[in-house]
Amino acid sequence: MPTLILVRHGRSTANTEGLLAGWTPGVALDERGAAQAAALPGRLAEVPLAEVVTSPLQRCQETIRPLLDARPHLTAHTDERIGECHYGDWSGRKLAELNDEPLMEVVQAHPSAAAFPGGESMRAMQTRAAEAVREWNARVERDHGAGAVYLMCSHGDIIKSLVADALGLHLDLFQRISVEPCSITVIRYTRLRPFLVRLGDTGDFASLVPREETPGDEAPVGGGAGAP
């Protein structure tokens, strides 16, 4: 079965403003995010890509544009199932403000029971994304062979949930996974089991440098803004 490269979109204006973007329209890459996207073709230069699939949201479309420009033979397929979690009434709100919501504790400690008001549950998010990957695995293998590599550009919580699925982790453990903006995560699927080959690889260790303000013990909903 194929190998899947999961790319989280580059840093967005919502990331830097501390907003939970969700499906809010008009959320673009910021200056750093655009630079991250511009570097993506070089990072993947030696990897043959059979297909490219993307979330319909602007920040993902902008992230893969330089890659598509560098490989004009590729056309991106848009799949809503790998779009961001539908955060409903939480969309567009400040993350600092959402930390006071009782639901946030559930999102952090028991995400399999979390359903966003006016949106979807985290279980539904994981299910649709995993179904999309399984269908694309079959399609890519059929059209390009079992050794093919393809790419999906998606979002933090989606990618974390797919990693949990690949590792056989309960969704309640997925907040232990971290993927920074424009990081690369790789899952090689086989008939018997998936193998996690890369996780959140940015090629940049700036996020490991100690900060004046120590990161908290909560996982940033939506994935966080990455290194400063």
Side-chain angles (χ1 to χ4, degrees), residues 141-223:
E141 181 172 6
R142 181 197 68 204
D143 295 344
H144 303 282
V149 180
Y150 75 108
L151 181 147
M152 282 185 168
C153 185
S154 188
H155 306 265
D157 281 349
I158 294 287
I159 294 172
K160 288 162 56 177
S161 75
L162 289 172
V163 170
D165 175 75
L167 292 177
L169 295 177
H170 196 283
L171 184 61
D172 286 345
L173 300 179
F174 101 127
Q175 297 291 27
R176 302 183 183 195
I177 299 165
S178 176
V179 290
E180 291 197 4
C182 222
S183 63
I184 291 175
T185 294
V186 182
I187 301 170
R188 180 166 60 86
Y189 289 88
T190 73
R191 186 174 61 86
L192 295 181
R193 65 183 61 85
F195 292 89
L196 181 63
V197 180
R198 295 283 190 281
L199 176 61
D201 189 341
T202 63
D204 178 2
F205 296 101
S207 63
L208 303 181
V209 176
R211 306 182 192 180
E212 291 183 10
E213 184 176 326
T214 304
D217 58 3
E218 292 191 346
V221 181

Side-chain angles (χ1 to χ4, degrees), residues 3 5 44-51 71 73-74 147-151:
T3 295
I5 297 175
L44 295 173
E46 297 183 18
V47 183
L49 296 176
E51 300 282 0
R71 304 194 190 197
H73 63 286
L74 287 176
V149 180
Y150 75 108
L151 181 147

Side-chain angles (χ1 to χ4, degrees), residues 61 156 181 200 227:
Q61 302 274 341

Side-chain angles (χ1 to χ4, degrees), residues 52-57 59-62 64 68 76-83 151-155:
V52 173
V53 188
T54 182
S55 157
L57 295 174
R59 52 198 183 273
C60 286
Q61 302 274 341
E62 291 180 354
I64 62 163
L68 296 175
H77 304 273
T78 299
D79 194 326
E80 291 197 358
R81 294 173 297 176
I82 62 167
L151 181 147
M152 282 185 168
C153 185
S154 188
H155 306 265

Side-chain angles (χ1 to χ4, degrees), residues 17-111:
E17 292 170 9
L19 301 175
L20 184 62
W23 285 69
T24 305
V27 177
L29 298 183
D30 67 6
E31 185 176 350
R32 180 183 177 90
Q36 291 170 332
L40 192 59
R43 294 168 65 195
L44 295 173
E46 297 183 18
V47 183
L49 296 176
E51 300 282 0
V52 173
V53 188
T54 182
S55 157
L57 295 174
Q58 179 179 340
R59 52 198 183 273
C60 286
Q61 302 274 341
E62 291 180 354
T63 297
I64 62 163
R65 176 48 51 195
L67 180 64
L68 296 175
D69 289 344
R71 304 194 190 197
H73 63 286
L74 287 176
T75 301
H77 304 273
T78 299
D79 194 326
E80 291 197 358
R81 294 173 297 176
I82 62 167
E84 181 64 283
C85 185
H86 291 277
Y87 295 117
D89 298 344
W90 280 27
S91 299
R93 292 178 61 187
K94 287 277 189 183
L95 287 165
E97 172 188 309
L98 291 170
N99 285 334
D100 296 329
E101 295 280 354
L103 178 60
M104 182 59 85
E105 186 177 6
V106 182
V107 170
Q108 292 293 323
H110 191 18

